[in-house]
Amino acid sequence: MDNQCICQFVIFGATGDLASKKLLPALYHLECAGMMPKEMRILAFGRRPWDDHGWQDFLREQLETYATNYHPEHFDDFCRHFSYVRGEIHDKESYQQLRSALTPEGADKPAATIFYLAIRPADFIPVVQQLSGAGFNQEGDYRIVIEKPFGDDLESAIHLNEQLHHHFREEQIYRIDHYLGKEIVQNLMVYRFANLAIESLWNRNYIDHVQITVAEKGGIESRAGYYDQAGALRDMLQNHLMQILTLVAMEPPPSLEADTLRDEKVKVLRSIRPIPKSAVTAYAMRAQYGPGVVDDQHVPGYQDEAGVETNSVTETYVAAKFYIDNWRWRGVPFYLRTGKRLENKTSSVAIRFRHTPQQLFRETSIEKIEPNWILLSLEPESMKTEIQIKEPGLEMRVRPVQLNASYRKDGEQELDAYEALLLDVMEGDKALFIRFDEVEWAWRVVDPIIKAWGRDSDYILTYPAGSWGPDEAIRIMDKEDQYWRNHL
C-alpha cells in the first residue's frame, strides 16, 4: 500500500476555512506545476445545496482569494478533477451516496481513496465511524488524514487513537502537522547531518541554550469557539513547537525511512525531564493579549474579541523551558514560546553557543565578547550564523556579523507545506507525518502544565497587543545573560 499512488481524494469540510485557505490552493498549485496525477478524482463533500456548477463558482472565488499564483487559464483543467457530493457528516445515507460515487463502474467496492478530515476535532470520531460503516475500513486501501489538534489532553488523545484503530490500521492514518512540510524545516536535517562542522558542535559541550519561537501578529479571528477552549499551549506548543524541538534535538537516524525518523523523534520526547507539579511556575508562564496597536491600527484585547467568554483566562501566549536528559543535551535548556498579537509574524530557532573560556581581551577596549549564534528562520526563510569580528580602526573593538546561508536562489519557487504533504499522502510516504507515540509523549510532556493551569483559573497576566509578549517571560530563563532573540 505504501508505495502506491492513490487517485481518489475526498475532502470533508470542503467549504470550510482550512479547505479554502490551504487545501484547495495547494491542490491547485500541484495541478499548475504538473504534479497532480492526471487521473486524480477529487470529491468535495459539503452541506450546501449545490451541483457541480455551484461548487465550481465557489472554487474559483476561493482560488482568486487565496492561491498565491492564480492563473485563470488553468482553472478549467483543475475543475475537471472535481465533483461535488452534497451530504451531512452525521447522516448514514450520505456515506452510501459517497460510496457509490467512489465505486468504479462494474466494481463491487470503492477504489483506493484518501479521506481528508478538514473538519472540527469533535467530528473526527463520528466521521471515522460512518466511513467504516459504509465499507471504508481496514480491509481496503484507504487513507485517513487528520489535522491537529489530536486530542486536547493525554486522555482524549488516547481515546481518539483507540477509536481510529478500531476502524483503521495505523499505516492508514496520516496525522498532519503542516510545519513538518516546510522546506526550511526539512532543510534543518540537511543542515545538521550533511555538514560535519555543524554536527560536531551540536551538543551540550558547545551549546548554551536553544530558543524556538512561533509568533503571530494576528488575533484569533473567527476561531473563538475553538481557541477559547484550547489556548496557545494546546493549539501551538504541544504540536508545532514540540515537533521542531524533536528535529533540532534528535540523533542522526540510520536512514530517511518514515519509522527510523520517527523513532529518533520519540526518543527525544521520552528523554524530556518531567516537570514537577510543585515547580510548574518555574518552567512555564502564560499571558493574554490586551488592547494595543498592530500595524498602526488599534486592536481590542482578547477578552473583547467576539465569542470569547467573559473573564476568560485562556492563554494567548505561553513560554516554557524543557530539559532533555540524554548524553547530547543534558543541562541545556530548550526555551519554547508562542503567542498571538505579537510584534512580528515569525517562526525561528535560535541556538546560542557558550562563551569562550578565555579572557584574552580583558586589557583592551572590549568589555565583553558576545557568544555566537545559529539563527534559523522558518518564516521568513533564512539560515544565518552570527560571529564576532574586529571593527575597522585603531582600537580593539568588536561587532557581530551574520553569515547568511539561505539556500533559495532568485526565482526559485517556494513549495508550500501543504503541497509537499499532500503529495506524500498520495504516494504513501509517512516520513513527515506523526506517529501516535509522538502525540502521546508530547501530551505527557505538557500534561503537568495543563493540570496546574486548570487548577489556577482566577488570574492571568496580560501584555499589550503589538508587543513581544509579557516582560515576565524572561523569568523562566536560567541565567542573567540569557534573553529572548526577537530579531534575527
Side-chain angles (χ1 to χ4, degrees):
M1 172 179 141
D2 285 350
N3 295 322
Q4 298 176 358
C5 185
I6 291 184
C7 292
Q8 294 198 123
F9 197 109
V10 178
I11 302 175
F12 287 94
T15 60
D17 281 352
L18 175 61
S20 294
K21 295 177 180 179
K22 297 296 184 180
L23 300 185
L24 297 176
L27 290 167
Y28 171 76
H29 292 146
L30 290 176
E31 171 69 21
C32 293
M35 302 178 76
M36 176 88 77
K38 293 186 181 299
E39 65 274 24
M40 175 65 75
R41 296 181 62 220
I42 305 174
L43 277 68
F45 188 94
R47 294 181 299 174
R48 302 189 188 186
W50 291 338
D51 56 14
D52 284 347
H53 294 293
W55 163 256
Q56 290 171 11
D57 291 341
F58 172 82
L59 178 60
R60 181 184 289 106
E61 180 182 341
Q62 304 314 302
L63 294 178
E64 289 174 346
T65 303
Y66 297 113
T68 54
N69 294 293
Y70 178 66
H71 302 287
E73 62 270 21
H74 293 300
F75 182 74
D76 288 342
D77 288 338
F78 185 53
C79 268
R80 292 190 185 99
H81 292 284
F82 278 90
S83 299
Y84 182 76
V85 177
R86 184 186 180 189
E88 296 281 347
I89 60 174
H90 299 287
D91 175 40
K92 182 177 180 180
E93 182 59 33
S94 295
Y95 290 84
Q96 294 303 321
Q97 296 172 10
L98 182 61
R99 179 184 173 91
S100 297
L102 293 171
T103 302
E105 186 175 350
D108 60 353
K109 67 176 184 178
T113 307
I114 296 166
F115 298 99
Y116 201 112
L117 275 57
I119 53 179
R120 63 193 186 111
D123 291 326
F124 287 165
I125 292 176
V127 169
V128 165
Q129 291 172 338
Q130 293 280 10
L131 286 171
S132 179
F136 304 105
N137 51 33
Q138 298 191 20
E139 302 306 317
D141 193 357
Y142 308 114
R143 299 172 190 170
I144 307 293
V145 184
I146 297 181
E147 284 272 350
K148 66 95 177 173
F150 198 84
D152 54 23
D153 56 20
L154 177 60
E155 183 178 352
S156 62
I158 292 173
H159 175 66
L160 174 57
N161 193 63
E162 290 172 347
Q163 289 294 311
L164 284 171
H165 281 173
H166 184 69
H167 302 286
F168 295 93
R169 303 185 305 276
E170 174 64 25
E171 58 264 32
Q172 295 176 283
I173 303 167
Y174 289 70
R175 301 174 188 86
I176 192 169
D177 184 332
H178 73 273
Y179 264 68
L180 297 183
K182 292 179 179 290
E183 281 192 291
I184 190 71
V185 173
Q186 298 175 54
N187 203 31
L188 176 59
M189 288 192 291
V190 177
Y191 185 73
R192 281 193 57 191
F193 302 133
N195 296 290
L196 184 60
I198 298 297
E199 174 59 18
S200 61
L201 302 176
W202 210 267
N203 57 63
R204 59 190 171 90
N205 296 322
Y206 299 99
I207 291 177
D208 179 78
H209 72 272
V210 178
Q211 297 180 26
I212 300 173
T213 298
V214 176
E216 301 177 88
K217 290 180 74 171
I220 60 170
E221 299 176 340
S222 59
R223 300 174 67 215
Y226 159 73
Y227 196 90
D228 203 39
Q229 301 299 316
L233 180 65
R234 291 180 172 92
D235 185 50
M236 295 293 290
L237 189 141
Q238 183 273 339
N239 39 75
H240 294 332
L241 277 74
M242 277 293 169
Q243 285 296 316
I244 297 172
L245 180 149
T246 60
L247 292 175
V248 172
M250 65 188 280
E251 295 298 317
S255 72
L256 293 178
E257 294 177 359
D259 277 333
T260 61
L261 282 170
R262 295 186 291 185
D263 286 346
E264 296 303 331
K265 291 163 66 181
V266 170
K267 288 178 185 178
V268 172
L269 295 170
R270 292 177 67 109
S271 297
I272 293 178
R273 185 185 305 171
I275 298 176
K277 294 179 182 179
S278 59
V280 168
T281 55
Y283 281 76
M285 61 84 58
R286 60 178 173 169
Q288 188 183 93
Y289 66 81
V293 178
V294 176
D295 293 334
D296 298 324
Q297 298 290 324
H298 289 277
V299 297
Y302 178 75
Q303 294 190 17
D304 297 321
E305 299 276 18
V308 173
E309 292 185 8
T310 304
N311 299 321
S312 170
V313 292
T314 297
E315 76 282 358
T316 62
Y317 177 99
V318 56
K321 68 179 173 184
F322 302 96
Y323 297 95
I324 301 170
D325 288 340
N326 60 19
W327 282 93
R328 182 183 292 266
W329 296 113
R330 175 81 180 192
V332 177
F334 281 69
Y335 300 119
L336 278 58
R337 63 172 174 165
T338 183
K340 291 188 176 296
R341 289 292 190 211
L342 298 182
E343 184 175 311
N344 280 317
K345 177 179 174 63
T346 182
S347 300
S348 65
V349 179
I351 299 166
R352 201 189 90 170
F353 287 89
R354 296 186 180 279
H355 287 280
T356 55
Q358 184 182 20
Q359 295 297 320
L360 178 65
F361 302 99
R362 62 180 176 271
E363 295 180 2
T364 71
S365 300
I366 301 173
E367 296 181 3
K368 181 181 179 182
I369 295 288
E370 294 295 329
N372 303 137
W373 291 79
I374 289 177
L375 306 171
L376 308 175
S377 177
L378 314 182
E379 189 176 3
E381 291 183 358
S382 69
M383 304 176 69
K384 301 173 183 176
T385 302
E386 190 170 279
I387 64 173
Q388 304 298 320
I389 65 165
K390 180 186 177 299
E391 289 186 352
L394 297 176
E395 293 187 343
M396 181 62 75
R397 298 184 183 276
V398 296
R399 66 185 179 199
V401 296
Q402 292 186 344
L403 309 179
N404 194 327
S406 299
Y407 68 96
R408 192 177 304 284
K409 298 178 181 178
D410 291 342
E412 286 185 332
Q413 185 66 37
E414 179 181 356
L415 184 67
D416 180 79
Y418 273 93
E419 296 167 32
L421 292 171
L422 289 175
L423 274 179
D424 285 348
V425 177
M426 295 174 192
E427 296 171 358
D429 184 350
K430 301 191 73 173
L432 297 179
F433 293 84
I434 302 170
R435 205 167 59 193
F436 178 69
D437 51 355
E438 293 181 69
V439 176
E440 179 181 1
W441 278 98
W443 279 120
R444 289 185 184 278
V445 168
V446 302
D447 198 50
I449 305 174
I450 292 174
K451 290 179 177 177
W453 289 353
R455 293 190 297 267
D456 182 16
S457 58
D458 296 330
Y459 173 75
I460 188 168
L461 291 168
T462 60
Y463 60 95
S467 69
W468 275 108
D471 294 337
E472 292 86 348
I474 197 73
R475 70 169 169 78
I476 70 168
M477 292 190 161
D478 286 355
K479 304 174 185 176
E480 289 186 0
D481 70 338
Q482 293 177 348
Y483 59 92
W484 291 107
R485 282 291 302 236
N486 295 329
H487 305 285
L488 305 188

